[in-house]
Amino acid sequence: MTAAQIIRRKRDGETLPPTEIRSLFEGYAAGSVEEYQMSAFLMAVCFRGLDRTELDALVEVMIASGAVADLTHVPGVKVDKHSTGGVGDKVSIVLAPLVASLGVPVPMMSGRGLGHTGGTLDKLETIPGFRTDLSLGEFAAQVEHIGCALIGQTDEIAPLDRRLYALRDVTATVESVPLIAASIMSKKLAEGVGALLLDVKVGAGAFIPDHAAARELARTMISIGSARGCHVVALLTAMDRPLGFAIGNALEVEECVLTLRGEGPADLRDLVLEQAAEMLVLGGAAADVDAARVAAATALDDGRAMAKMGAVIRAQGGNDAVLEDPAILPQAPVRHVVEAAMDGTVTRMDVRAIGEAAVSLGAGRATLGAAIDPAVGFHVTVKPGAVVARGEPLATVYAGSVEAAATAASRLASAIVIGEAAEALPLPLVLERVTG
Ligand code: URA
């Protein structure tokens, strides 16, 4: 069976046997299936989906494309967290050191920007010197000694996902329940964790905006994990507005530093604490989420999470002075304030458009392997329901040029919709908890 025949069969809605899934993806990994053929197949999956047998075959090929990390020498339940992706979702950078500071090992493997959303790796790499390309050996040693490592996929761990992720980013093939589930679960299972918290976003800025479909995504990932001995819990969380204020790589790291200092936006802090509580229970460090939330808030407030982040940054070659002085992060030369054009209420935010405007500004990639501008992005300081007066600042654009700032500002002004009254109540920060 040629690649074109397999693509055609999926395009026409057939179910492929595991052998064909394996042959296509192994061929892609080996270089005999081309990028354009894989792009076409991924698009067919976006329309036709994958059934459970096909999905399991894909997960297995993706895990087998690299090594599986052995963290058995690290005592305790190793717990990671992964988000399905959101605009301004910077939780991991605060969460990982926080949970590790309470004794639960966090081996965290993250991704780059995807579609209209940012990626933890791109954000971390704005810290001068910070290496995300640790080898598997360095990763395991760091988790053992510091309790936390924040890395990207190397050639060793699920390298097939790394290639597919980059390809999906620039071919509009992210929005698929099986592709997202396989991508996330293959790298998490290869990472050697015992438990996993999933943050599945819901709302206009999510890849799968619909609540019921997001629940299906959560359940799919939970069952992939359970079938392979990984305890998975999912929180469905709000993405009908950006999380926090900052959108853009260095700007988001700065907001994380503020949050570690107790000065960050309330929604970011609250979501970090909710997720930390779940991870502490999964890691056996707390009996219930209420006790865990209190422990997490204490470790955030008394500087333990900040100290752990400093240790992680130093261990990964970064300049930990960023925690004292975030101004050492890349700075954009141009700032442009976006003002409300009329009196009214922020009735709705087109979160996807806001994320896309950030990508166009240079915070994300339009083509495979393109460079990003670490300094650019937005501070969006209003949320749905806010009452604003004409001329009041809604957001600030951080850009590389006056022209780029003006274009982004006009996109932002259209994406923050002002009207008479809110169209719908904002989603609760945490909509639902899904377990096996
Ligand atoms: N995060 C991932 O790692 N993969 C996806 O496909 C979406 C979000």
Side-chain angles (χ1 to χ4, degrees), residues 132-151:
T132 56
D133 62 348
L134 304 189
S135 69
L136 215 46
E138 289 173 309
F139 175 64
Q142 188 172 314
V143 176
E144 183 180 4
H145 296 122
I146 297 179
C148 178
L150 302 171
I151 67 162

Side-chain angles (χ1 to χ4, degrees), residues 82-85 109-112 114 117 153 161 165 168 173-174 176 179-185 187-188 207:
H82 202 86
S83 158
T84 56
M109 191 170 299
S110 306
R112 299 198 175 279
L114 189 64
T117 70
Q153 279 158 284
D161 174 58
Y165 188 98
R168 289 168 59 221
T173 50
V174 179
S176 151
L179 293 181
I180 296 174
S183 164
I184 292 179
M185 294 311 295
K187 57 184 164 260
K188 297 292 138 179
F207 288 117

Side-chain angles (χ1 to χ4, degrees), residues 41 74 82 94 191 204 238 251 285 288 298 331 356 362 368 403 414:
F41 183 79
V74 182
H82 202 86
V94 183
E191 198 184 70
L251 295 168
D288 60 67
T298 307
Q331 303 289 321
E356 286 167 352
L368 263 183
E403 298 72 32
S414 326

Side-chain angles (χ1 to χ4, degrees), residues 259 265-276 293 429-430:
T259 305
D267 60 345
L268 176 59
R269 177 185 165 94
D270 290 349
L271 193 55
V272 165
L273 293 179
E274 288 307 315
Q275 297 191 10
R293 199 181 296 109
L429 193 59
V430 178

Side-chain angles (χ1 to χ4, degrees), residues 253-272:
V253 171
E254 180 187 18
E255 192 164 273
C256 290
V257 172
L258 295 177
T259 305
L260 284 164
R261 280 188 199 157
E263 298 161 17
D267 60 345
L268 176 59
R269 177 185 165 94
D270 290 349
L271 193 55
V272 165

